[in-house]
Amino acid sequence: MQDFDQWRRLGKHWHAYSEKRDEQGQSTRVSRLAREPDVTLFSPRSVAEWLADRTREHSPRTAVKLLGENAGWGHMADGRHIDHDLAADESTASRGDSIYVSITRQDERTDLWVEAVMDEECPEVHHEQE
């Protein structure tokens, strides 16, 4: 059975970053945590919602062939896909884990980073806003 409050007992919150990847490659956790986050998140639900919002914004609605007999076609980044990821991301964050998502478009890649940090290791003083 999953402990949905594990993140709270661990004293975690999350720093979220959205980056367009260039030729230099992706950033590192150390380099991300050294700069100000796009947003600071204080609950697993807010982590999942932030990722879902960015996925809706950046993901192309690409048609894909679904697996299985008579499965038909679906779309990446459609409502069902985003709802599935929202539930999975909330579950992952509730364990106090970081989450990384990479979204590929025709001419670019967007990386979403939600870094779990311990309250005592965080260089910023946050006032919980949620």
Side-chain angles (χ1 to χ4, degrees):
M1 180 152 85
Q2 183 172 341
D3 177 2
F4 289 99
D5 286 327
Q6 184 174 356
W7 66 277
R8 192 181 313 273
R9 280 190 282 293
L10 293 171
K12 298 249 181 134
H13 65 278
W14 297 265
H15 291 187
Y17 307 87
S18 176
E19 301 175 343
K20 298 259 191 253
R21 190 180 306 183
D22 59 20
E23 307 80 42
Q24 315 267 350
Q26 63 189 24
S27 64
T28 65
R29 176 179 167 88
V30 170
S31 68
R32 285 187 295 277
L33 292 177
R35 66 180 204 264
E36 187 173 335
D38 295 347
V39 65
T40 302
L41 305 165
F42 297 99
S43 73
R45 185 65 181 187
S46 64
V47 166
E49 288 173 348
W50 186 85
L51 287 166
D53 289 346
R54 297 307 130 336
T55 299
R56 277 186 206 94
E57 178 183 344
H58 295 289
S59 290
R61 285 191 29 96
T62 307
V64 293
K65 177 74 172 119
L66 301 175
L67 298 176
E69 188 175 324
N70 301 319
W73 288 84
H75 290 89
M76 295 296 295
D78 68 3
R80 287 180 28 197
H81 176 220
I82 290 172
D83 288 346
H84 175 270
D85 286 354
L86 185 120
D89 292 341
E90 185 172 10
S91 177
T92 299
S94 72
R95 292 190 304 266
D97 292 339
S98 297
I99 302 172
Y100 309 131
V101 175
S102 188
I103 300 168
T104 303
R105 298 172 62 120
Q106 185 172 354
D107 297 323
E108 65 187 21
R109 178 181 300 267
T110 298
D111 292 321
L112 306 175
W113 310 94
V114 183
E115 299 288 1
V117 295
M118 301 286 285
D119 293 342
E120 63 268 9
E121 72 180 343
C122 182
E124 301 292 323
V125 175
H126 300 295
H127 300 285
E128 194 167 324
Q129 298 173 342
E130 299 176 44

